[in-house]
């Protein structure tokens, strides 16, 4: 089974499946497991101290011979230092989120690093292509964490029409049907976060995995619109408190209340006062499985869907 596209060619991977680089969640262990399964595993740098990211990169290098990536969250205050580190370590692939990586593009390219920025709009995608992005990850607002305004269904085909580099669809994809749908929209790869949170190798607190497995269709909410950085999370006590502050436009207090809460959820398993960033696809994640099995199942299912559609057309 193989879905070969310009993305698999570009990254030197077997399957066009990228694992979202989730802060406090996507550690070297998860990234290596996804890469060993033939996808692209990605370490989520988030607000990680530089030394910790160095350890994570070195661990990934020990655990896999295959390409892997690092996601850089551009809002982090010490981003310059993190960029310097990934360049020095020669990380094969960088994905970026929450901003425009333009300032760092030259440094990445000079080291031969493939750059896949996440873009929530067509305008930003075009700008990023013009400064050398190797592919664009279009993330719809079904995704977890920090999100844009457009849905995956609407964003993906517009990106495909607007840029010539490969487009990767993200947001709301949890199974092979979603992969096939993304391909139907013209994407040449997909990125999944929430599904990989429930990989066996994902080192988050087991309580969070259980919450995702049990999640129903209306379990997530978007909070923090008043801060300019809306985030999708699973509903809990913290989300309700932030929702109230949002209504009162108390952005400063939301920032204060939110500090450290992602780690509180993912590392300590505080399901009520932690920030349970996850996408709408949580409702479609029903089990905890090894990452390589998830990658394999996504591809096998997607191929079956596409074969079925092809057969239906021919009938
Ligand atoms: O980055 C994400 N998801 C994230 S980052 C994160 S950590 C965080 N915590 C609190 C507040 C903010 C972040 C949790 N989840 N996804 C990729 C993504 N990037 N979604 C949206 C964007 C984005 C937004 C604006 C990318 C570029 C952008 O550009 C604005 C501009 O033109 O500079």
């Amino acid at each position: 089974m193989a879905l070969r596209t310009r993305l698999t060619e570009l990254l030197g991977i077997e399957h066009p499946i990228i694992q979202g680089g989730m802060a406090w969640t996507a550690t070297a262990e998860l990234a290596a497991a996804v890469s060993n399964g033939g996808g692209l595993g990605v370490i989520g740098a988030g607000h990680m101290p530089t030394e910790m990211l160095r350890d994570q990169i070195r661990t990934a290098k020990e655990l896999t011979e295959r390409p892997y990536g690092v996601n850089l969250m551009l809002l982090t205050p010490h981003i310059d230092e993190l960029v310097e580190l990934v360049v020095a370590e020669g990380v094969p692939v960088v994905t970026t989120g929450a901003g425009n990586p333009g300032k760092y593009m030259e440094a990445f390219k000079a080291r031969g690093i493939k750059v896949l920025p996440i873009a929530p709009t067509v305008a930003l995608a075009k700008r990023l292509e013009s400064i050398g992005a190797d592919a664009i990850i279009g993330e719809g607002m079904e995704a977890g964490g920090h999100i844009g305004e457009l849905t995956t269904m609407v964003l993906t085909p517009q990106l495909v029409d607007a840029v010539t580099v490969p487009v990767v669809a993200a947001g709301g994809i949890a199974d092979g049907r979603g992969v096939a749908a993304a391909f139907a929209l013209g994407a040449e790869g997909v990125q999944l976060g929430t599904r990989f949170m429930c990989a066996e190798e994902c080192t988050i607190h087991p309580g969070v995995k259980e919450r995702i497995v049990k999640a129903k269709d209306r379990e997530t909410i978007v909070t923090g619109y008043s801060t300019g950085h809306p985030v999708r999370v699973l509903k809990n006590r913290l989300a309700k408190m932030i929702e109230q502050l949002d209504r009162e436009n108390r952005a400063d207090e939301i920032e204060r209340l939110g500090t450290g809460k992602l780690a509180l959820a993912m590392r300590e398993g505080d399901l009520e006062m932690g920030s349970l960033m996850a996408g709408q696809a949580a409702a479609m994640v029903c089990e905890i499985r090894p990452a390589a099995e998830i990658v394999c199942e996504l591809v096998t299912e997607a191929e079956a869907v596409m074969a079925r559609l092809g057969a239906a057309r021919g009938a």
Side-chain angles (χ1 to χ4, degrees), residues 38-159:
L40 185 82
V42 179
I43 298 165
H47 292 304
M48 209 181 261
T50 310
E51 280 310 310
M52 197 187 289
L53 183 59
R54 179 178 289 115
D55 285 349
Q56 285 284 302
I57 292 170
R58 298 206 172 151
T59 303
K61 285 177 181 171
E62 277 167 26
L63 296 177
T64 187
E65 307 262 285
R66 300 198 179 181
Y68 65 93
V70 169
N71 174 265
L72 294 171
M73 208 281 281
L74 298 169
L75 285 174
T76 205
H78 62 302
I79 184 67
D80 288 358
E81 236 180 82
L82 296 182
V83 169
E84 216 172 284
L85 172 69
V86 301
V87 170
E89 290 288 321
V91 168
V93 183
V94 163
T95 65
T96 66
N100 183 337
K103 186 176 154 194
Y104 308 112
M105 217 62 174
E106 230 169 273
F108 292 138
K109 308 297 287 190
R111 188 73 155 87
I113 296 174
K114 301 284 186 281
V115 188
L116 283 70
I118 297 181
T121 63
V122 173
L124 182 61
K126 282 181 165 172
R127 224 175 306 141
L128 293 167
E129 177 180 49
S130 74
I131 58 169
D134 294 286
I136 299 289
I137 304 174
E139 189 182 89
M141 56 90 78
E142 298 93 322
H146 176 49
I147 53 169
E149 286 175 31
L150 302 175
T151 60
T152 305
M153 183 75 124
V154 161
L155 178 63
T156 309
Q158 292 188 73
L159 293 179

Side-chain angles (χ1 to χ4, degrees), residues 210-264:
E210 206 177 304
R211 228 357 262 280
I212 292 172
V213 166
K214 286 189 181 150
K216 299 258 187 338
D217 54 352
R218 297 176 63 228
E219 200 107 353
T220 70
I221 185 176
V222 181
T223 60
Y225 276 116
S226 64
T227 67
H229 303 300
V231 295
R232 183 180 297 284
V233 294
L234 293 170
K235 291 176 188 171
N236 64 1
R237 199 155 104 76
L238 176 71
K240 288 202 180 86
M241 288 166 72
I242 294 179
E243 199 185 10
Q244 182 58 33
L245 291 170
D246 242 345
R247 274 196 287 270
E248 296 164 7
N249 255 315
R250 289 156 72 187
D252 287 355
E253 225 156 303
I254 293 178
E255 301 279 13
R256 228 182 353 263
L257 185 61
T259 304
K261 294 299 197 292
L262 184 58
L264 186 65

